[in-house]
């Protein structure tokens, strides 16, 4: 069997001129030759720190070209890359460290002392900052390039991406070299990447969207990437005229529409605007077309499966739909028993395909719960399918909030609020928000004065939870609405407060 290490696939697509730019960034540029050299040196450095095939490497660092090289180095070493949101607090990171048992943790120099308190003595802690400085880079510079690309089987793990669960406990989705390769190849073809394409990259690189979908397509195309450290609307408008592809969450598009200097002229060189990670409102889709002349291509995916469906490149891109199952993916809309239901009816979307993950890290029971006997994965998204296979996501069976493209499971926030003295109970809901899509909102029942509890909640959550999980507003009520079974009616709360952020 030919070696399936994903790095081989990327390398087979690098341009003939290896001096061509891969990343253009604030500090200069990284060519494909630099990429190959730096990832080989970093691979050597990882091995010097004891990393062998299958070892986990946890990475919580600011977006930088070096962080991309570190990902590629992990592939070369056969290590399992585990990127973490930079917003996570040390307390949150402690869970991932304990669960994954990493050989190496790479963090920002500023958090090294805290990270050291949550790691075993056997874990090497290296640092990397946004400017490309840190002990990892010192080691890279003094390491010779390691030419070896660790032989990998298709089902060897390439990455674990943690995704929160309905119980509040995060699960590590295990993604194999083959999962990532299969999805990347399909997307590269489906979206008709062309010679000369330039990707404008402003997403974080600790999630599927920015790390795999965007970077893998560019790598397979041997394309240049204009690499922004984050989303800044002025910087995007500055660089769009030199770009051909942008991938973003819906907030990118609403913010562009709000910018007075964003015009059709800004987009003159663009070939493709892609949106995903959260629902794109039909109004945004329509306004964007009117203003820019471009029809946003919406696709749908998730951590466990990469991209699942996409509106067509050539055919109709229809607002409010996420298009068709990608080639190789089989999708069905089913009832709660996994039985397919008639076209047009709302059910749960279930899928199979080479992109679907290998299970949750060290959670065989949880994995078994989310797959049907015939191998279909239960996405937890409510959908409808038209007779021609076009899919619309109409809601979520899972209790999940998506704010600015980041997922927040209410349970995780409710547990922390409910633990506070004086709080009787709480319900955390997502309410429509013009900028973030949904805003995390807490509805709290308390005996204390609202002011006092509000301060307590803000103070405690600031230490315990990433900023994007903390409620934008806290509402106080005398009781939560319940159904006859005693279950809190979140739907009623969402309806009651739907205009809170209007
Ligand atoms: C940032 N903040 C948020 C937030 N993002 N608060 C709530 N929800 C969010 N999503 C807070 C910060 O903590 C900070 O607070 C303040 O807002 C400004 O921070 P910022 O970093 O300057 O924010 P901003 O640049 O405005 O970020 C907004 C954003 C960003 C939409 C550009 O959230 C983003 O890049 N989202 C992309 C997420 C993503 O990649 N999702 C893909 C998941 S993969 P303070 O108090 O510190 O000032 C997936 C599968 C698939 O879902 O299908 O793709
Ligand atoms: P994550 O677990 O962060 O990968 O988030 C995946 C979830 O994001 C999916 O299960 C959907 O609920 C949601 N999602 C992704 N893309 C879309 C989309 N285009 N429309 C609606 N929801 C989406």
């Amino acid at each position: 069997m030919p070696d399936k290490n994903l790095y081989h696939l990327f390398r087979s697509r690098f341009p003939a001129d290896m001096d061509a730019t891969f990343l253009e960034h604030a500090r200069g540029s990284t060519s494909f030759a630099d990429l190959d050299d730096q990832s080989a040196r970093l691979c050597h450095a990882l091995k010097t720190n004891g990393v062998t095939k299958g070892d986990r490497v946890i990475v919580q660092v600011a977006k930088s070209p070096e962080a991309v090289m570190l990902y590629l180095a992990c592939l070369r070493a056969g290590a399992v890359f585990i990127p973490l949101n930079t917003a996570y607090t040390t307390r949150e990171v402690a869970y991932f460290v304990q669960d994954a048992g990493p050989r190496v943790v790479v963090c920002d120099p500023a958090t090294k002392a805290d990270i050291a308190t949550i790691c075993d003595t056997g874990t090497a802690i290296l640092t990397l900052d946004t400017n490309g400085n840190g002990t990892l880079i010192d080691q890279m510079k003094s390491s010779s390039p390691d030419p070896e690309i660790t032989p990998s089987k298709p089902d060897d793990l390439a990455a674990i991406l943690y995704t929160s669960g309905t119980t509040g406990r995060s699960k590590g989705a295990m993604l194999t070299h083959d999962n990532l390769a299969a999805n990347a190849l399909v997307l590269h073809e489906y979206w008709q990447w062309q010679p000369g394409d330039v990707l404008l990259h402003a997403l974080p690189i600790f999630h599927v969207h920015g790390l795999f979908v965007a970077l893998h397509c560019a790598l397979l195309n041997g394309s240049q990437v204009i690499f922004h450290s984050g989303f800044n609307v002025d910087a995007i408008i500055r660089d769009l005229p030199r770009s051909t592809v942008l991938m973003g969450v819906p907030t990118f598009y609403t913010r562009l529409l709000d910018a007075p200097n964003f015009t059709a002229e800004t987009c003159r060189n663009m070939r493709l605007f892609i949106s995903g990670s959260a629902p794109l409102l039909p109004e945004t889709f329509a306004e964007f077309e009117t203003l820019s002349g471009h029809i946003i291509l919406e696709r749908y995916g998730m951590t466990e499966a990469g991209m699942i469906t996409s509106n067509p490149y050539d055919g109709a891109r229809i607002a409010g739909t996420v298009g068709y199952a990608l080639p190789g993916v089989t999708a069905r809309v089913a009832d709660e028993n996994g039985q397919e239901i008639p076209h047009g009816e709302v059910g749960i979307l279930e899928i199979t395909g080479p992109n679907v993950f290998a299970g949750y890290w060290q959670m065989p029971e949880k994995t078994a719960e989310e797959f049907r006997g015939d191998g279909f994965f239960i996405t937890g998204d409510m959908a409808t399918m038209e007779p021609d296979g076009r899919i619309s996501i109409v809601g979520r069976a899972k209790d999940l909030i998506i704010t600015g493209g980041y997922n927040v499971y209410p349970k995780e926030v409710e547990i922390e609020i409910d633990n506070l003295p004086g709080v009787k109970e709480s319900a955390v809901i997502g309410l429509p928000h013009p900028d973030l899509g949904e805003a995390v909102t807490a509805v709290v029942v308390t005996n204390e004065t609202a002011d006092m509890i509000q301060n307590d909640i803000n103070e405690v959550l600031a230490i315990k939870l990433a900023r994007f999980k903390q409620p934008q507003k806290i509402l106080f009520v005398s009781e939560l609405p319940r159904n006859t079974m005693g279950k809190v009616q979140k739907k009623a709360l969402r309806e009651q407060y739907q205009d809170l952020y209007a």
Side-chain angles (χ1 to χ4, degrees):
M1 187 194 303
D3 185 12
K4 288 294 189 175
N5 189 306
L6 182 59
Y7 190 80
H8 281 302
L9 174 64
F10 294 147
R11 193 142 83 167
S12 71
R13 303 293 193 96
F14 289 169
D17 175 11
M18 288 287 282
D19 290 330
T21 299
F22 170 48
L23 300 180
E24 180 195 311
H25 49 87
R27 283 182 274 121
S29 65
T30 305
S31 67
F32 283 90
D34 296 333
L35 177 171
D36 206 41
D37 177 67
Q38 290 177 17
S39 61
R41 288 175 196 274
L42 284 168
C43 175
H44 190 162
L46 289 172
K47 288 182 182 174
T48 305
N49 284 285
V51 171
T52 57
K53 187 173 171 180
D55 280 344
R56 276 79 57 211
V57 176
I58 286 188
V59 177
Q60 191 195 30
V61 297
K63 187 177 177 183
S64 72
E66 291 77 9
V68 177
M69 301 308 136
L70 177 57
Y71 163 55
L72 297 170
C74 285
L75 291 178
R76 295 179 75 130
V80 183
F81 185 70
I82 308 182
L84 295 182
N85 193 325
T86 45
Y88 289 151
T89 61
T90 305
R91 189 175 165 278
E92 289 170 298
V93 175
Y95 169 81
F96 303 117
V97 168
Q98 177 266 319
D99 191 61
R103 172 76 59 198
V104 167
V105 175
V106 185
C107 63
D108 193 273
T111 61
K112 185 175 177 191
D114 281 347
I115 296 290
T117 64
I118 57 168
C119 290
D120 286 345
T121 47
T123 306
I125 305 170
L126 302 172
T127 60
L128 170 61
D129 72 9
T130 187
N131 297 315
N133 297 314
T135 56
L136 177 74
I137 301 309
D138 298 341
Q139 292 191 12
M140 176 186 91
K141 287 179 181 157
S142 61
S143 299
S144 55
D146 181 340
E148 194 201 9
I149 296 170
T150 305
S152 303
K153 298 193 292 301
D155 56 359
D156 282 341
L157 296 190
I160 295 176
L161 266 67
Y162 278 90
T163 153
S164 312
T166 40
T167 56
R169 202 172 146 219
S170 283
K171 303 166 288 183
M174 300 189 288
L175 297 160
T176 66
H177 284 258
D178 208 34
N179 290 150
L180 300 181
N183 209 228
L185 287 166
V186 160
L187 295 177
H188 180 258
E189 198 170 319
Y190 204 79
W191 293 336
Q192 298 189 21
W193 280 76
Q194 298 165 10
D197 266 335
V198 175
L199 173 75
L200 184 50
H201 193 298
L203 287 160
I205 54 169
F206 42 70
H207 280 312
V208 163
H209 198 165
L211 179 64
F212 299 146
V213 185
L215 285 178
H216 287 182
C217 281
L219 283 163
L220 286 185
N221 207 53
S223 265
Q224 182 184 338
V225 178
I226 302 178
F227 195 69
H228 289 186
S229 58
F231 180 82
N232 173 294
V233 79
D234 294 327
I236 294 285
I237 291 171
R238 181 194 68 213
D239 286 338
L240 269 175
R242 300 189 295 127
S243 311
T244 65
V245 181
L246 176 75
M247 296 189 194
V249 294
T251 302
F252 282 25
Y253 295 105
T254 49
R255 288 192 186 175
L256 278 170
L257 286 171
D258 283 344
N261 51 343
F262 177 68
T263 63
E265 181 58 16
T266 320
C267 308
R268 61 186 178 271
N269 197 39
M270 285 295 290
R271 179 176 74 77
L272 185 58
F273 287 96
I274 298 177
S275 176
S277 308
L280 181 73
L281 293 179
E283 300 88 276
T284 311
F285 176 95
E287 279 172 39
F288 199 86
E289 184 180 1
T290 307
L291 202 142
S292 73
H294 282 270
I295 304 176
I296 298 175
L297 184 153
E298 183 172 11
R299 92 307 179 273
Y300 153 81
M302 64 193 299
T303 301
E304 288 90 335
M307 296 303 98
I308 299 167
T309 74
S310 174
N311 270 280
Y313 185 78
D314 285 325
R317 301 177 193 167
I318 301 180
T321 84
V322 293
Y324 303 95
L326 285 164
V329 177
T330 307
R332 69 183 177 207
V333 177
D335 64 17
E336 62 277 15
N337 302 312
Q339 293 304 308
E340 195 156 1
I341 60 173
H343 292 306
E345 288 184 16
V346 176
I348 296 179
L349 188 70
E350 302 186 350
I351 54 160
T352 58
N355 53 323
V356 177
F357 73 135
Y360 295 111
W361 172 255
Q362 290 181 339
M363 289 187 178
E365 297 85 14
K366 201 85 208 113
T367 304
E369 273 171 30
E370 304 206 9
F371 281 88
R372 298 285 178 201
D374 60 359
F376 275 72
F377 171 63
I378 307 163
T379 63
D381 289 307
M382 309 295 293
T384 60
M385 190 189 283
E386 290 168 29
D388 72 347
R390 186 181 282 275
I391 292 167
S392 303
I393 303 296
V394 299
R396 295 167 207 138
K398 52 197 175 192
D399 190 12
L400 166 70
I401 301 167
I402 306 185
T403 174
Y406 288 128
N407 289 6
V408 179
Y409 274 91
K411 192 84 202 159
E412 195 183 351
V413 187
E414 288 162 1
I415 288 172
E416 299 300 350
I417 297 178
D418 292 350
N419 275 341
L420 284 169
V423 170
K424 278 166 93 180
E425 61 175 348
S426 67
V428 170
I429 53 174
L431 293 176
H433 187 280
D435 182 40
L436 297 168
E438 290 180 312
V440 178
T441 309
V443 187
V444 176
V445 183
T446 174
N447 301 324
E448 305 284 336
T449 63
D451 275 356
M452 197 171 132
I453 282 290
Q454 172 124 15
N455 289 340
D456 286 357
I457 293 176
N458 290 338
E459 227 169 79
V460 167
L461 295 193
I463 302 165
K464 298 201 167 175
L465 297 177
R467 176 74 185 81
F468 68 91
K469 298 179 190 171
Q470 297 167 29
Q472 307 268 327
K473 289 192 181 169
I474 302 172
L475 307 171
F476 293 94
V477 295
S478 55
E479 59 179 5
L480 295 174
R482 291 182 188 277
N483 66 12
T484 46
M485 310 288 288
K487 193 170 175 311
V488 175
Q489 297 292 77
K490 289 198 170 175
K491 190 162 172 278
L493 286 174
R494 281 192 293 266
E495 281 166 7
Q496 185 179 352
Y497 297 113
Q498 61 183 339
D499 294 326
L500 194 64
Y501 299 93

